[in-house]
Amino acid sequence: MELKVKESVYEPMEDSHMMQREIEIRAKGKKVLDIGTGSGIQAITAALAGAKEVWAADVNPIAVRCAQSNAEANNCDINFVESDLFTYVPKKKFDLIVFNPPYLPSDGIHEDLRWSGGLEGIEVILDFLSQVKPFLARDGAILFIYSSYANPDRLAKMMKRFGFKLEVVSQKHIFFEDIFVGLATIG
Ligand SMILES: C[S@@+](CC[C@H](N)C(=O)[O-])C[C@H]1O[C@@H](n2cnc3c(N)ncnc32)[C@H](O)[C@@H]1O
């Protein structure tokens, strides 16, 4: 895959590649939505794996343009929207919704949309989980990244409260944290 990343756009890291591997085995024939697309890596992975339809969103307009040009470089037909979470995502049902969110706790001063997931690190993913259901097909699934460093126990509790079943499909120790790929279904 050919990817160019501009300043202020998340350079794909190990978390991106963990997510990519899970998308590769699940996207074929599916309608896929990638929230927080950044460079477009996950949306492009879904398109190259044979997804039926792919939408991608990011709140950062520079990321949206960067992902659009990466999609063109890889001959992928992807629909992009500049959107804070689901605000401008069309009201469709997706089979697979993926989000590698900003998931590190922030100090409240140095906020960066690429990394800062709020004071606990899970605020952005919790907002996402509170809004995702109307966009998810009945037997659809969500793939998302989270960290042992950002209150995973409260995240698991909140997921139950939102009515999701959570399964860890991939896990890796990186520097000071364990990174997880969670698979959530309505359960
Ligand atoms: C950790 S990066 C992941 C980028 C890419 N998906 C990947 O896997 O490499 C998080 C991305 O989420 C975007 N983002 C942060 N808050 C968002 C929000 N409220 N709505 C949409 N995108 C958001 C950031 O701009 C950034 O591109």
Side-chain angles (χ1 to χ4, degrees):
M1 180 189 302
E2 204 184 311
L3 279 185
K4 285 195 182 133
V5 178
K6 296 194 176 109
E7 200 188 323
S8 93
V9 178
Y10 191 77
E11 173 100 41
M13 298 201 192
E14 188 50 33
D15 51 0
S16 315
H17 299 305
M18 287 169 73
M19 171 74 98
Q20 215 186 353
R21 289 190 279 275
E22 299 307 317
I23 293 172
E24 266 163 5
I25 57 175
R26 290 181 173 84
K28 194 169 180 190
K30 305 266 173 70
K31 280 192 187 173
V32 179
L33 170 63
D34 175 24
I35 297 286
T37 196
S39 62
I41 180 170
Q42 313 303 353
I44 295 169
T45 299
L48 294 177
K52 183 158 69 177
E53 184 177 331
V54 184
W55 285 77
D58 204 290
V59 72
N60 176 0
I62 299 170
V64 174
R65 284 199 294 276
C66 171
Q68 242 158 356
S69 99
N70 283 328
E72 276 161 29
N74 288 281
N75 293 315
C76 290
D77 183 15
I78 297 170
N79 307 283
F80 289 95
V81 279
E82 183 186 326
S83 177
D84 181 356
L85 296 176
F86 297 94
T87 310
Y88 296 111
V89 172
K91 304 262 176 295
K92 286 170 175 270
K93 297 282 186 190
F94 293 92
D95 308 302
L96 182 63
I97 301 182
V98 305
F99 191 21
N100 179 4
Y103 57 79
L104 291 179
S106 73
D107 57 10
I109 302 164
H110 305 98
E111 299 290 342
D112 187 313
L113 287 169
R114 290 171 289 184
W115 295 288
S116 309
L119 289 177
E120 273 191 290
I122 52 173
E123 283 83 342
V124 177
I125 191 69
L126 289 179
D127 278 352
F128 164 89
L129 290 167
S130 72
Q131 297 174 32
V132 66
K133 271 191 181 160
F135 297 87
L136 193 61
R138 198 207 290 248
D139 54 357
I142 298 164
L143 283 171
F144 69 104
I145 299 279
Y146 65 103
S147 161
S148 59
Y149 192 63
N151 210 339
D153 294 340
R154 191 163 103 80
L155 177 60
K157 220 178 269 169
M158 289 303 291
M159 294 210 57
K160 245 191 207 159
R161 200 173 291 174
F162 286 132
F164 290 109
K165 251 186 354 208
L166 173 63
E167 183 192 344
V168 174
V169 289
S170 174
Q171 177 174 355
K172 194 163 187 177
H173 186 73
I174 303 172
F175 302 121
F176 55 89
E177 60 184 339
D178 286 321
I179 299 290
F180 304 98
V181 184
L183 177 77
T185 47
I186 296 171

PDB file of all heavy atoms in Angstrom, residues 117-142:
ATOM      1  N   GLY A 117      -7.187  11.422  24.183  1.00  0.00           N
ATOM      2  CA  GLY A 117      -8.529  10.862  24.298  1.00  0.00           C
ATOM      3  C   GLY A 117      -9.291  11.427  25.479  1.00  0.00           C
ATOM      4  O   GLY A 117     -10.194  10.775  25.991  1.00  0.00           O
ATOM      5  N   GLY A 118      -8.924  12.620  25.943  1.00  0.00           N
ATOM      6  CA  GLY A 118      -9.570  13.223  27.114  1.00  0.00           C
ATOM      7  C   GLY A 118      -8.781  12.909  28.375  1.00  0.00           C
ATOM      8  O   GLY A 118      -7.768  12.204  28.320  1.00  0.00           O
ATOM      9  N   LEU A 119      -9.256  13.413  29.522  1.00  0.00           N
ATOM     10  CA  LEU A 119      -8.457  13.311  30.759  1.00  0.00           C
ATOM     11  C   LEU A 119      -8.179  11.851  31.138  1.00  0.00           C
ATOM     12  O   LEU A 119      -7.103  11.532  31.626  1.00  0.00           O
ATOM     13  CB  LEU A 119      -9.151  14.038  31.914  1.00  0.00           C
ATOM     14  CG  LEU A 119      -9.140  15.572  31.786  1.00  0.00           C
ATOM     15  CD1 LEU A 119      -9.899  16.212  32.934  1.00  0.00           C
ATOM     16  CD2 LEU A 119      -7.720  16.125  31.706  1.00  0.00           C
ATOM     17  N   GLU A 120      -9.129  10.966  30.913  1.00  0.00           N
ATOM     18  CA  GLU A 120      -8.926   9.537  31.223  1.00  0.00           C
ATOM     19  C   GLU A 120      -8.405   8.747  30.020  1.00  0.00           C
ATOM     20  O   GLU A 120      -8.024   7.590  30.147  1.00  0.00           O
ATOM     21  CB  GLU A 120     -10.251   8.900  31.637  1.00  0.00           C
ATOM     22  CG  GLU A 120     -10.580   9.028  33.100  1.00  0.00           C
ATOM     23  CD  GLU A 120     -11.757   8.150  33.440  1.00  0.00           C
ATOM     24  OE1 GLU A 120     -12.871   8.481  32.989  1.00  0.00           O
ATOM     25  OE2 GLU A 120     -11.563   7.134  34.115  1.00  0.00           O
ATOM     26  N   GLY A 121      -8.499   9.338  28.847  1.00  0.00           N
ATOM     27  CA  GLY A 121      -8.061   8.656  27.626  1.00  0.00           C
ATOM     28  C   GLY A 121      -9.181   7.876  26.954  1.00  0.00           C
ATOM     29  O   GLY A 121      -8.997   7.333  25.863  1.00  0.00           O
ATOM     30  N   ILE A 122     -10.349   7.778  27.616  1.00  0.00           N
ATOM     31  CA  ILE A 122     -11.442   6.987  27.015  1.00  0.00           C
ATOM     32  C   ILE A 122     -12.657   7.849  26.657  1.00  0.00           C
ATOM     33  O   ILE A 122     -13.672   7.321  26.211  1.00  0.00           O
ATOM     34  CB  ILE A 122     -11.886   5.809  27.921  1.00  0.00           C
ATOM     35  CG1 ILE A 122     -12.198   6.284  29.338  1.00  0.00           C
ATOM     36  CG2 ILE A 122     -10.846   4.710  27.911  1.00  0.00           C
ATOM     37  CD1 ILE A 122     -12.793   5.200  30.222  1.00  0.00           C
ATOM     38  N   GLU A 123     -12.559   9.155  26.835  1.00  0.00           N
ATOM     39  CA  GLU A 123     -13.725  10.007  26.576  1.00  0.00           C
ATOM     40  C   GLU A 123     -14.145   9.949  25.108  1.00  0.00           C
ATOM     41  O   GLU A 123     -15.339   9.871  24.804  1.00  0.00           O
ATOM     42  CB  GLU A 123     -13.456  11.462  26.989  1.00  0.00           C
ATOM     43  CG  GLU A 123     -13.534  11.698  28.496  1.00  0.00           C
ATOM     44  CD  GLU A 123     -12.247  11.344  29.258  1.00  0.00           C
ATOM     45  OE1 GLU A 123     -11.397  10.600  28.716  1.00  0.00           O
ATOM     46  OE2 GLU A 123     -12.104  11.785  30.411  1.00  0.00           O
ATOM     47  N   VAL A 124     -13.181   9.980  24.183  1.00  0.00           N
ATOM     48  CA  VAL A 124     -13.537   9.992  22.752  1.00  0.00           C
ATOM     49  C   VAL A 124     -14.167   8.654  22.360  1.00  0.00           C
ATOM     50  O   VAL A 124     -15.200   8.623  21.689  1.00  0.00           O
ATOM     51  CB  VAL A 124     -12.304  10.313  21.858  1.00  0.00           C
ATOM     52  CG1 VAL A 124     -12.689  10.254  20.387  1.00  0.00           C
ATOM     53  CG2 VAL A 124     -11.739  11.693  22.202  1.00  0.00           C
ATOM     54  N   ILE A 125     -13.591   7.552  22.837  1.00  0.00           N
ATOM     55  CA  ILE A 125     -14.171   6.243  22.478  1.00  0.00           C
ATOM     56  C   ILE A 125     -15.556   6.072  23.132  1.00  0.00           C
ATOM     57  O   ILE A 125     -16.462   5.488  22.533  1.00  0.00           O
ATOM     58  CB  ILE A 125     -13.204   5.062  22.809  1.00  0.00           C
ATOM     59  CG1 ILE A 125     -13.701   3.760  22.197  1.00  0.00           C
ATOM     60  CG2 ILE A 125     -12.978   4.867  24.279  1.00  0.00           C
ATOM     61  CD1 ILE A 125     -13.633   3.708  20.711  1.00  0.00           C
ATOM     62  N   LEU A 126     -15.737   6.627  24.329  1.00  0.00           N
ATOM     63  CA  LEU A 126     -17.068   6.532  24.955  1.00  0.00           C
ATOM     64  C   LEU A 126     -18.097   7.352  24.179  1.00  0.00           C
ATOM     65  O   LEU A 126     -19.235   6.909  23.987  1.00  0.00           O
ATOM     66  CB  LEU A 126     -17.013   6.972  26.421  1.00  0.00           C
ATOM     67  CG  LEU A 126     -16.284   6.008  27.377  1.00  0.00           C
ATOM     68  CD1 LEU A 126     -16.273   6.571  28.800  1.00  0.00           C
ATOM     69  CD2 LEU A 126     -16.898   4.619  27.372  1.00  0.00           C
ATOM     70  N   ASP A 127     -17.706   8.537  23.697  1.00  0.00           N
ATOM     71  CA  ASP A 127     -18.619   9.335  22.846  1.00  0.00           C
ATOM     72  C   ASP A 127     -18.998   8.530  21.605  1.00  0.00           C
ATOM     73  O   ASP A 127     -20.157   8.484  21.198  1.00  0.00           O
ATOM     74  CB  ASP A 127     -17.935  10.629  22.365  1.00  0.00           C
ATOM     75  CG  ASP A 127     -17.998  11.723  23.410  1.00  0.00           C
ATOM     76  OD1 ASP A 127     -18.696  11.540  24.423  1.00  0.00           O
ATOM     77  OD2 ASP A 127     -17.333  12.759  23.206  1.00  0.00           O
ATOM     78  N   PHE A 128     -17.972   7.921  21.007  1.00  0.00           N
ATOM     79  CA  PHE A 128     -18.190   7.093  19.812  1.00  0.00           C
ATOM     80  C   PHE A 128     -19.199   5.972  20.115  1.00  0.00           C
ATOM     81  O   PHE A 128     -20.168   5.768  19.380  1.00  0.00           O
ATOM     82  CB  PHE A 128     -16.831   6.527  19.369  1.00  0.00           C
ATOM     83  CG  PHE A 128     -16.886   5.388  18.404  1.00  0.00           C
ATOM     84  CD1 PHE A 128     -16.906   5.616  17.037  1.00  0.00           C
ATOM     85  CD2 PHE A 128     -16.884   4.067  18.851  1.00  0.00           C
ATOM     86  CE1 PHE A 128     -16.951   4.547  16.137  1.00  0.00           C
ATOM     87  CE2 PHE A 128     -16.927   3.009  17.960  1.00  0.00           C
ATOM     88  CZ  PHE A 128     -16.962   3.251  16.603  1.00  0.00           C
ATOM     89  N   LEU A 129     -18.973   5.263  21.222  1.00  0.00           N
ATOM     90  CA  LEU A 129     -19.845   4.123  21.562  1.00  0.00           C
ATOM     91  C   LEU A 129     -21.270   4.566  21.874  1.00  0.00           C
ATOM     92  O   LEU A 129     -22.228   3.846  21.596  1.00  0.00           O
ATOM     93  CB  LEU A 129     -19.264   3.348  22.755  1.00  0.00           C
ATOM     94  CG  LEU A 129     -17.975   2.581  22.435  1.00  0.00           C
ATOM     95  CD1 LEU A 129     -17.292   2.113  23.712  1.00  0.00           C
ATOM     96  CD2 LEU A 129     -18.256   1.392  21.511  1.00  0.00           C
ATOM     97  N   SER A 130     -21.416   5.789  22.396  1.00  0.00           N
ATOM     98  CA  SER A 130     -22.762   6.276  22.719  1.00  0.00           C
ATOM     99  C   SER A 130     -23.537   6.676  21.457  1.00  0.00           C
ATOM    100  O   SER A 130     -24.746   6.799  21.491  1.00  0.00           O
ATOM    101  CB  SER A 130     -22.683   7.464  23.687  1.00  0.00           C
ATOM    102  OG  SER A 130     -22.201   8.601  23.004  1.00  0.00           O
ATOM    103  N   GLN A 131     -22.813   6.867  20.320  1.00  0.00           N
ATOM    104  CA  GLN A 131     -23.476   7.332  19.086  1.00  0.00           C
ATOM    105  C   GLN A 131     -23.552   6.277  17.986  1.00  0.00           C
ATOM    106  O   GLN A 131     -24.227   6.462  16.983  1.00  0.00           O
ATOM    107  CB  GLN A 131     -22.713   8.542  18.519  1.00  0.00           C
ATOM    108  CG  GLN A 131     -22.693   9.755  19.422  1.00  0.00           C
ATOM    109  CD  GLN A 131     -21.783  10.858  18.860  1.00  0.00           C
ATOM    110  OE1 GLN A 131     -21.640  11.013  17.646  1.00  0.00           O
ATOM    111  NE2 GLN A 131     -21.166  11.626  19.744  1.00  0.00           N
ATOM    112  N   VAL A 132     -22.807   5.162  18.150  1.00  0.00           N
ATOM    113  CA  VAL A 132     -22.582   4.263  17.013  1.00  0.00           C
ATOM    114  C   VAL A 132     -23.795   3.404  16.620  1.00  0.00           C
ATOM    115  O   VAL A 132     -23.974   3.065  15.432  1.00  0.00           O
ATOM    116  CB  VAL A 132     -21.343   3.359  17.285  1.00  0.00           C
ATOM    117  CG1 VAL A 132     -21.584   2.400  18.436  1.00  0.00           C
ATOM    118  CG2 VAL A 132     -20.893   2.625  16.046  1.00  0.00           C
ATOM    119  N   LYS A 133     -24.650   3.051  17.563  1.00  0.00           N
ATOM    120  CA  LYS A 133     -25.663   2.013  17.305  1.00  0.00           C
ATOM    121  C   LYS A 133     -26.551   2.261  16.081  1.00  0.00           C
ATOM    122  O   LYS A 133     -26.787   1.342  15.301  1.00  0.00           O
ATOM    123  CB  LYS A 133     -26.513   1.768  18.541  1.00  0.00           C
ATOM    124  CG  LYS A 133     -25.908   0.709  19.445  1.00  0.00           C
ATOM    125  CD  LYS A 133     -26.891   0.292  20.516  1.00  0.00           C
ATOM    126  CE  LYS A 133     -26.259  -0.736  21.422  1.00  0.00           C
ATOM    127  NZ  LYS A 133     -26.962  -0.808  22.699  1.00  0.00           N
ATOM    128  N   PRO A 134     -27.070   3.496  15.858  1.00  0.00           N
ATOM    129  CA  PRO A 134     -27.935   3.699  14.685  1.00  0.00           C
ATOM    130  C   PRO A 134     -27.226   3.448  13.348  1.00  0.00           C
ATOM    131  O   PRO A 134     -27.881   3.304  12.318  1.00  0.00           O
ATOM    132  CB  PRO A 134     -28.351   5.175  14.790  1.00  0.00           C
ATOM    133  CG  PRO A 134     -28.068   5.569  16.201  1.00  0.00           C
ATOM    134  CD  PRO A 134     -26.962   4.699  16.688  1.00  0.00           C
ATOM    135  N   PHE A 135     -25.871   3.392  13.371  1.00  0.00           N
ATOM    136  CA  PHE A 135     -25.112   3.201  12.125  1.00  0.00           C
ATOM    137  C   PHE A 135     -24.683   1.745  11.928  1.00  0.00           C
ATOM    138  O   PHE A 135     -24.059   1.411  10.927  1.00  0.00           O
ATOM    139  CB  PHE A 135     -23.871   4.110  12.122  1.00  0.00           C
ATOM    140  CG  PHE A 135     -24.216   5.564  12.154  1.00  0.00           C
ATOM    141  CD1 PHE A 135     -24.423   6.234  13.357  1.00  0.00           C
ATOM    142  CD2 PHE A 135     -24.385   6.281  10.971  1.00  0.00           C
ATOM    143  CE1 PHE A 135     -24.779   7.574  13.384  1.00  0.00           C
ATOM    144  CE2 PHE A 135     -24.739   7.620  10.986  1.00  0.00           C
ATOM    145  CZ  PHE A 135     -24.941   8.266  12.199  1.00  0.00           C
ATOM    146  N   LEU A 136     -24.976   0.913  12.912  1.00  0.00           N
ATOM    147  CA  LEU A 136     -24.486  -0.467  12.884  1.00  0.00           C
ATOM    148  C   LEU A 136     -25.592  -1.426  12.458  1.00  0.00           C
ATOM    149  O   LEU A 136     -26.684  -1.420  13.033  1.00  0.00           O
ATOM    150  CB  LEU A 136     -23.996  -0.835  14.301  1.00  0.00           C
ATOM    151  CG  LEU A 136     -23.160  -2.101  14.441  1.00  0.00           C
ATOM    152  CD1 LEU A 136     -21.873  -2.020  13.624  1.00  0.00           C
ATOM    153  CD2 LEU A 136     -22.823  -2.335  15.924  1.00  0.00           C
ATOM    154  N   ALA A 137     -25.288  -2.248  11.431  1.00  0.00           N
ATOM    155  CA  ALA A 137     -26.246  -3.279  11.005  1.00  0.00           C
ATOM    156  C   ALA A 137     -26.511  -4.216  12.185  1.00  0.00           C
ATOM    157  O   ALA A 137     -25.663  -4.363  13.072  1.00  0.00           O
ATOM    158  CB  ALA A 137     -25.670  -4.060   9.825  1.00  0.00           C
ATOM    159  N   ARG A 138     -27.670  -4.895  12.165  1.00  0.00           N
ATOM    160  CA  ARG A 138     -28.085  -5.714  13.307  1.00  0.00           C
ATOM    161  C   ARG A 138     -27.012  -6.746  13.721  1.00  0.00           C
ATOM    162  O   ARG A 138     -26.725  -6.938  14.888  1.00  0.00           O
ATOM    163  CB  ARG A 138     -29.386  -6.426  12.965  1.00  0.00           C
ATOM    164  CG  ARG A 138     -30.113  -6.928  14.209  1.00  0.00           C
ATOM    165  CD  ARG A 138     -30.954  -8.102  13.851  1.00  0.00           C
ATOM    166  NE  ARG A 138     -32.089  -7.681  13.022  1.00  0.00           N
ATOM    167  CZ  ARG A 138     -33.345  -7.721  13.417  1.00  0.00           C
ATOM    168  NH1 ARG A 138     -33.626  -8.123  14.613  1.00  0.00           N
ATOM    169  NH2 ARG A 138     -34.305  -7.387  12.607  1.00  0.00           N
ATOM    170  N   ASP A 139     -26.399  -7.404  12.722  1.00  0.00           N
ATOM    171  CA  ASP A 139     -25.345  -8.363  13.077  1.00  0.00           C
ATOM    172  C   ASP A 139     -23.961  -7.794  12.750  1.00  0.00           C
ATOM    173  O   ASP A 139     -23.017  -8.526  12.464  1.00  0.00           O
ATOM    174  CB  ASP A 139     -25.570  -9.704  12.372  1.00  0.00           C
ATOM    175  CG  ASP A 139     -25.720  -9.521  10.870  1.00  0.00           C
ATOM    176  OD1 ASP A 139     -25.706  -8.352  10.411  1.00  0.00           O
ATOM    177  OD2 ASP A 139     -25.833 -10.535  10.152  1.00  0.00           O
ATOM    178  N   GLY A 140     -23.860  -6.454  12.796  1.00  0.00           N
ATOM    179  CA  GLY A 140     -22.593  -5.782  12.496  1.00  0.00           C
ATOM    180  C   GLY A 140     -21.613  -5.849  13.662  1.00  0.00           C
ATOM    181  O   GLY A 140     -21.951  -6.297  14.756  1.00  0.00           O
ATOM    182  N   ALA A 141     -20.384  -5.387  13.401  1.00  0.00           N
ATOM    183  CA  ALA A 141     -19.341  -5.433  14.432  1.00  0.00           C
ATOM    184  C   ALA A 141     -18.512  -4.152  14.402  1.00  0.00           C
ATOM    185  O   ALA A 141     -18.429  -3.467  13.378  1.00  0.00           O
ATOM    186  CB  ALA A 141     -18.443  -6.636  14.197  1.00  0.00           C
ATOM    187  N   ILE A 142     -17.934  -3.867  15.549  1.00  0.00           N
ATOM    188  CA  ILE A 142     -17.075  -2.688  15.692  1.00  0.00           C
ATOM    189  C   ILE A 142     -15.683  -3.169  16.062  1.00  0.00           C
ATOM    190  O   ILE A 142     -15.544  -4.026  16.951  1.00  0.00           O
ATOM    191  CB  ILE A 142     -17.597  -1.802  16.847  1.00  0.00           C
ATOM    192  CG1 ILE A 142     -19.011  -1.301  16.563  1.00  0.00           C
ATOM    193  CG2 ILE A 142     -16.664  -0.632  17.116  1.00  0.00           C
ATOM    194  CD1 ILE A 142     -19.710  -0.760  17.809  1.00  0.00           C
TER     195      ILE A 142
END
